[in-house]
Amino acid sequence: MQTTTWGRAERATSAVGLGCWQLGADWGEVDEDDALGVLAAAVDSGVTFLDTADVYGDGRSEKLIGRFLAEHTAPRPTVATKMGRRTDPHVPEAYTLDAFRAWTDRSRQNLGVDTLDLVQLHCPPTAVLGREQTYDDLDTLVQEGRITGYGVSVETVDEALTALARPGVVSVQIIVNIFRRKPLERVLPAAAEAGVAIIARVPLASGLLSGRYDEHTTFAPTDHRHFNRNGDAFDVGETFAGVPFEVGVQAAREVAALTPEGWTTAQFALRWVLDQPGVSTVIPGARNAEQARANAAVGDLPALSPEQLAALERIYDQRIREHVHGRW
């Protein structure tokens, strides 16, 4: 497994991590045995970075990871969680030091740890990222031993650049995939210069880039690809990377046609993410052990050729750019 070093955080992680949203909620049902099997398969395949959040299944994802950590003491992966999306209403005033303490205490209990490896503000209101007090409060959590380090998970390039300017931020999580290329222009170079890790989420555009969907594919009512297709529950950019489904299906067919022999289209798409300078780790989800192992194997695949990269850029420019580039 390819590894990467995080500058400010002074830690190394696997280039392919595991996103654990689907172990909690919003991707259809994943039972506990399957969830634990996914975690075991990923770690056994060399994954050393797990990403979760307190809101995934209202703590279910964190608790499952905590159970896994208790039962599998070595090797010990780095676990990143996120906080803030459980607030109702989700307003800047909710982001206080007392709230940070309560949120991290709950996550520490769920995960069964004394100190959280990494806590990320979970797509907070934009104003939160611009306040000096936000980072002072996060520094306090580090000083109190509740967390080892902190980062942010953001929706837009401008939010990422705001956070990158803060010296205590060790990571920025942002959507990066073949259909969401805007972060390559300014965010990834700025992060590399600052020594800030980039965690690339939604790398398969909610499954579009697996190449398995067509215009007739449907999803369970509990799956965000059903209930958030128009952004009714949260930012539409989190579902299919903001690309209209039918447009994405057509573009994904073109991506699939470029997939090298012996690779899956999902592996091809994940390898593209890893080939982008500045990406520290990519966090695809997995609903079963087979998917987890296939995703982890991408860390051993060769880089894409200049011709493949150019072809994928043409697909973006011709099919996708007009739908997403100006929004996020």
Side-chain angles (χ1 to χ4, degrees), residues 254-274:
E254 297 182 26
V255 173
L258 300 171
T259 302
E261 184 177 355
W263 296 30
T264 67
T265 301
Q267 289 175 325
F268 185 48
L270 292 174
R271 186 66 245 183
W272 179 90
V273 178
L274 289 187

Side-chain angles (χ1 to χ4, degrees), residues 215-289:
E215 291 84 353
H216 306 293
T217 301
T218 59
F219 303 92
T222 56
D223 191 315
H224 73 103
R225 292 169 293 185
H226 172 82
F227 66 76
N228 195 55
R229 191 171 292 194
N230 298 314
D232 296 324
F234 42 79
D235 193 292
V236 72
E238 301 288 342
T239 300
F240 302 126
V243 179
F245 182 70
E246 292 76 12
V247 172
V249 165
Q250 290 287 344
R253 287 197 181 102
E254 297 182 26
V255 173
L258 300 171
T259 302
E261 184 177 355
W263 296 30
T264 67
T265 301
Q267 289 175 325
F268 185 48
L270 292 174
R271 186 66 245 183
W272 179 90
V273 178
L274 289 187
D275 287 347
Q276 306 312 309
V279 170
S280 303
T281 188
V282 58
I283 52 169
R287 290 172 53 86
N288 56 59

